[in-house]
Amino acid sequence: MASEDLIHLLPDSVANQIAAGEVIQRPASVVKELVENSVDAGATVIQVRLVDAGRTNIQVIDNGKGMSETDARMSFERHATSKIKNPADLFALHTFGFRGEALASIAAVAQVEVRTRRAEDELGTVIHIAASRIESQEVEMCPVGTNFQVKNLFFNVPARRKFLKSDQTEVNNVLAEIERVALVHPEIAFSVFRNDVELINVPQATSRQRIQHLFGKKLGQELLSVDVDTTLVKITGCVGVPESARKKGAHCFFFVNGRYMRHPYFHKAVMEAYAHLIPATEQVPYFLYFTVDPSRIDVNIHPTKTEIKFEDEQAIWQILMASVREVLGRSNAAPSIDFDVADCPDIPVLGSGNAALTPPMPTVDSSYNPFKQGGAPSHKSVSTRWNDLYKGVEGSHVGREIRFDEPMEADLPWDEPTRGGLPDEQSPLSDTPLFDDAAAMHDKCSDCYQYKGRYIVTSMKSGLMLVDQHRAHVRILYQRYMAQLSEQRSASQGLLFPEMLTLSASQAMMMEQLLDDFAGLGFDISNMGGGSFAIQGVPGGIEGLNPSSLVGDMLAGAIEQGNVSKEEVHRALALTMARSAAIVVGQVLSPDEMTALIDELFACDMPAYTPDGKKVFAIIEENDIEKRFS
Ligand code: ADP
Ligand code: MG
């Protein structure tokens, strides 16, 4: 009895439809595939037109090299590609498409019309294909390039059609795909129309201009350039200044070898570089382009996935973090103050391994508080800190050494006394030996002047610097507290009358976990059980603050962080405490105190911003001042 065969091959159209499900999920996937083909075809102008968010019609028109009659027909065959010939090519991909699957997939689930012509052909080809069946092929007059129309997507797969989201969502997905391609190819002009309304229209431009054209001028002005080249990876692009941070919707883009990628681990590296500059809950925009040896990344075999695995992930993480941090450190003061970096020597870049050291925090004299302990510091003790401004980055594997000591010294003796026109005011520095290095540096920021009880005004080579005294002190204290937290030891001053804190069960749990950290900061707190805690001692320098409300605030700040790393809890503690303990607006400062504050500020690794991203100082350029008198 002849048994009937159970196994048979699916008809091509069905197989194609199944396979298509992986590649083509929504209008945006069609747009992505077609636009990438246009890029691969060398187009310089690409236009995308959507009708009904792409449900009814998706059209992609390019001025690329077009296809011959045979190629046009072949292009819809599964595994038809002009882009790879042998397996080795898979590891050295320089084009977007490589599987020869996209057009076959699109044609399996839609009605497709393509018009295409090569420059060398007089006439072009028009093909109609629907549900994988070629319906017609004709010769026609048409412009050089290729014009795809994909109509009634999923007309033969109703279940898929139902999966589509609202028009707005589908259009947004399309725009996101276009942005990704457009960011990698500023040399190509892109436009997108939805029902004849123009949504995107960006001309050929430079990389930086492209970002502005896509996301606006404001963002364009908030970016700092990144450019680092190591044996493992080359990273170019830009990152936002701390002020550009936002809670939601920051434009974050990574690309590797010309493709968009998602990389949560590298995202953390970028955010880590901003750790002391912006709130942990916010993000900065970035546009970072990696170039790596293609054999050292896992070629993304799945066309719709954007995650990519790197072989040297940890080393690249370090390089990325250090490079962004260095860029931030450099931008802090360098361009706006007096330090001309134009002709500084480049430091040769090292390879992997020892390449990426995290810049160390400059040391801070943690026992010294010019405001709370009385008495001005000796000039020497703080003044050379100006030299430390870039300690963290100098000699690191990325970037260049920034030297600012020379131009400043060369400028001696500097500005004429400018003490707000006060006659004969006794300079606190008149007894300072002028040619002592440290003293000279100190002198650089010595003619301080307090404005409105809030700003310290000091003269710089390039203009006037205004420092917000409260914010400056927050930055200084924050760094000091962070250092104390990592060293876990600080002196405590006993309270005459211990204060009791009564906490809820969840607060008490957090408090128990934080007791060591509070001790590290100089608090002496004992757990009395039942949610009660006794504050028996507090750190020096916070006299005048109510210990229980301070501890309560710090606890609340830590709880707000949620279940996060120790580091982030430390940041929350340090920030709350720094905010409470910092000198307030309105506090009158002596010239020595102002000088000390500025010196300490510039000993911090990130003097330009508070830990939550507020500007600490502003510079009024000399040009601007001169203009006012012209
Ligand atoms: P892949 O891009 O992976 O090669 P596709 O199915 O996307 O596969 O495209 C198949 C082939 O059709 C491409 O290799 C290319 O030769 C040709 N092709 C597709 N789109 C265009 C276009 N816009 N211009 C010129 N040739 C194209
Ligand atoms: Mg393709």
Side-chain angles (χ1 to χ4, degrees), residues 313-330:
E313 212 149 70
Q314 287 182 1
I316 294 177
W317 194 99
Q318 292 292 337
I319 292 170
L320 177 60
M321 202 277 274
S323 321
V324 175
R325 190 165 273 185
E326 193 251 346
V327 165
L328 291 170
R330 192 191 324 165

Side-chain angles (χ1 to χ4, degrees), residues 280 510 558 560-569:
M510 187 66 162
E560 209 175 278
Q561 289 294 308
N563 234 343
V564 288
S565 66
K566 198 81 184 163
E567 173 82 2
E568 273 163 271
V569 171

Side-chain angles (χ1 to χ4, degrees), residues 33-34 37-38 40-41 62 65-67 75 80-83 97-104 146 148:
E33 296 297 339
L34 295 183
N37 281 345
S38 298
D40 288 345
D62 71 48
K65 64 177 188 249
M67 287 178 272
S75 69
T81 177
S82 54
K83 298 167 194 172
F98 53 87
R99 310 200 320 166
E101 200 149 31
L103 291 184
T146 303
F148 269 99

Side-chain angles (χ1 to χ4, degrees), residues 218-500:
K218 178 159 185 300
L219 176 68
Q221 287 164 346
E222 289 177 330
L223 297 174
L224 305 167
S225 294
V226 176
D227 192 353
V228 55
D229 199 350
T230 70
T231 48
L232 277 186
V233 63
K234 181 168 144 55
I235 307 172
T236 58
C238 42
V239 296
V241 296
E243 291 97 324
S244 64
R246 54 190 57 200
K247 282 223 163 65
K248 282 203 202 83
H251 297 292
C252 300
F253 290 90
F254 283 129
F255 302 91
V256 59
N257 297 354
R259 288 163 172 268
Y260 171 79
M261 70 165 173
R262 262 175 44 79
H263 209 296
Y265 182 59
F266 289 165
H267 174 79
K268 286 215 184 84
V270 177
M271 292 308 144
E272 181 65 24
Y274 288 82
H276 300 260
L277 293 171
I278 64 170
T281 51
E282 295 192 1
Q283 297 189 342
V284 282
Y286 57 79
F287 305 85
L288 293 169
Y289 302 78
F290 295 64
T291 310
V292 297
D293 177 349
S295 70
R296 300 192 70 82
I297 53 175
D298 185 357
V299 174
N300 187 6
I301 291 300
H302 198 284
T304 61
K305 284 226 178 75
T306 47
E307 275 92 0
I308 288 183
K309 185 97 190 86
F310 286 67
E311 261 179 47
D312 311 290
E313 212 149 70
Q314 287 182 1
I316 294 177
W317 194 99
Q318 292 292 337
I319 292 170
L320 177 60
M321 202 277 274
S323 321
V324 175
R325 190 165 273 185
E326 193 251 346
V327 165
L328 291 170
R330 192 191 324 165
S331 77
N332 255 334
S336 45
I337 311 182
D338 297 326
F339 320 137
D340 183 10
V341 297
D343 42 29
C344 296
D346 272 322
I347 287 181
V349 166
L350 309 175
S352 60
N354 60 343
L357 301 170
T358 308
M361 303 256 270
T363 46
V364 171
D365 175 5
S366 60
S367 64
Y368 165 65
N369 181 335
F371 309 102
K372 299 282 162 53
Q373 290 165 353
S378 82
H379 295 149
K380 274 250 164 94
S381 72
V382 289
S383 54
T384 51
R385 299 260 175 72
W386 280 89
N387 289 320
D388 292 346
L389 187 48
Y390 288 98
K391 206 178 215 166
V393 297
E394 95 195 4
S396 82
H397 73 295
V398 280
R400 44 178 54 154
E401 188 178 14
I402 295 160
R403 311 194 38 202
F404 47 86
D405 45 348
E406 279 173 16
M408 293 185 87
E409 283 193 14
D411 198 38
L412 275 177
W414 68 329
D415 302 323
E416 289 164 16
T418 48
R419 306 214 30 108
L422 297 179
D424 272 334
E425 183 160 322
Q426 168 72 39
S427 162
L429 297 164
S430 48
D431 55 351
T432 308
L434 201 59
F435 294 101
D436 174 306
D437 248 22
M441 295 305 285
H442 175 83
D443 194 40
K444 280 292 160 195
C445 57
S446 62
D447 64 342
C448 298
Y449 172 82
Q450 199 178 19
Y451 175 65
K452 298 226 157 174
R454 171 164 186 183
Y455 302 105
I456 299 169
V457 184
T458 184
S459 167
M460 307 294 302
K461 186 174 146 203
S462 65
L464 280 180
M465 178 165 69
L466 281 86
V467 180
D468 182 307
Q469 65 187 45
H470 171 72
R471 291 181 184 179
H473 203 202
V474 169
R475 164 53 69 192
I476 294 164
L477 291 176
Y478 174 80
Q479 186 152 330
R480 180 182 311 164
Y481 298 150
M482 285 302 283
Q484 289 174 4
L485 278 164
S486 62
E487 284 157 24
Q488 294 281 340
R489 72 190 152 76
S490 276
S492 178
Q493 298 180 358
L495 288 177
L496 214 47
F497 305 104
E499 295 201 11
M500 291 301 287

